[in-house]
Amino acid sequence: METGTEPLVVEEPVEPSPGITGSGRRFWDDLKKAVSVAVVGADEPLRFVTLALLADGHVLVEDVPGTGKTLLARAVARALDLRTGRIQGTPDLLPTDVTGSSIFEGNGLRFVPGPVFTNILLVDEINRATPRTQSALLEAMQERQVTIEGTTYPLPDPFVVLATQNPIEFEGTFALPQAQLDRFLVRIQIGYPDEAGERRIARRYQAEAEPLERIEPIVDATRLLDLRNEVRQVRVGDEVEAYVVALVRATREHEDIQLGGSPRATVALYRVAQAAAVLAGRSFVLPDDVKAVAPAVLAHRLVVDLDRSLRGATAESALAGMLDAVPVPPVVEASQPVG
């Protein structure tokens, strides 16, 4: 990537908007405090869920059983004063169980909305649902609407899907198609807690049966939509924009990658980097924001070449090499971030 000889100078505006530089950080601090009532040691996964909320995207939480995937999703949903719905992925789940259906009543048909008509939709074990049912979510995730029997129904705003899946168990599961994986803004893993964290978890459940009950809402739908509008005001300099594009284009040329990131991946990386700047209390994006979020935004969109995968290549390792290889534009901060 051509970066030029002059470093990129990032200057604060004379009167930075207190909404951009302060609200995002406060939102992050409040959400982290609220969720920590029930969830232990998941600050980094929670951060990416927060980024997705601010960037108006969906989240795929992928990890082994028992690490708190569903707990994290439920805790976030409870901390936001929004309508929530839940779908349990099973092989006998039908598309109409997700979107809703029409029933005969009186002299005609009446549409009964499904659980997708909500603000935060928790799809637990999404890879246990059949491809036909998974596809029912495609239009909802991308277009924020569903079409049933020729009639289109808009979904509430905001609308966010928090889906969980177990990546190591294949019996009775259906792998998500690449088209649906691409609809998720970020994919995150939680991992096992450290010894001290695991003891805190055990102690917490000894004291009470369900810590989720103590989580209090911190924002409502109107405030969340205001925060999203603030994220769109975050400045992305020409050099940083070129860096975003160069990273995504590098995924299409890497020898280990059969299918690289699409322009949708470019937009996703751009939006999540803006949200990351807001959480850091800045009104502009730095290259480090892009690097920090790139693995969660891009890795699940890449398809590794079969021969290369047999030799140990992974999307994560290929992406790490790209992040080292693509030149990072130099940045000189003209002033300290506000917030």
Short mmCIF file of all heavy atoms in Angstrom, two decimals, residues 7 185 277 325 331:
data_model
loop_
_atom_site.label_atom_id
_atom_site.label_comp_id
_atom_site.label_asym_id
_atom_site.label_seq_id
_atom_site.Cartn_x
_atom_site.Cartn_y
_atom_site.Cartn_z
N PRO A 7 3.95 11.53 7.35
CA PRO A 7 3.06 10.81 8.27
C PRO A 7 1.68 11.42 8.28
O PRO A 7 1.49 12.61 7.99
CB PRO A 7 3.75 10.99 9.64
CG PRO A 7 4.54 12.25 9.50
CD PRO A 7 5.00 12.29 8.05
N LEU A 185 -21.44 -9.43 11.61
CA LEU A 185 -20.43 -8.38 11.61
C LEU A 185 -19.14 -8.86 12.24
O LEU A 185 -18.04 -8.61 11.73
CB LEU A 185 -20.97 -7.16 12.35
CG LEU A 185 -20.12 -5.89 12.28
CD1 LEU A 185 -20.11 -5.34 10.86
CD2 LEU A 185 -20.64 -4.83 13.25
N ALA A 277 -13.19 3.48 17.85
CA ALA A 277 -12.71 4.82 18.19
C ALA A 277 -13.63 5.48 19.21
O ALA A 277 -13.17 6.14 20.15
CB ALA A 277 -12.62 5.67 16.92
N ALA A 325 2.16 -7.92 7.17
CA ALA A 325 2.73 -7.59 5.86
C ALA A 325 2.21 -6.28 5.28
O ALA A 325 2.96 -5.55 4.62
CB ALA A 325 2.46 -8.73 4.88
N VAL A 331 1.18 7.58 11.97
CA VAL A 331 0.23 8.54 12.53
C VAL A 331 0.93 9.37 13.58
O VAL A 331 1.62 8.85 14.45
CB VAL A 331 -0.99 7.83 13.15
CG1 VAL A 331 -1.90 8.85 13.82
CG2 VAL A 331 -1.75 7.07 12.09
#
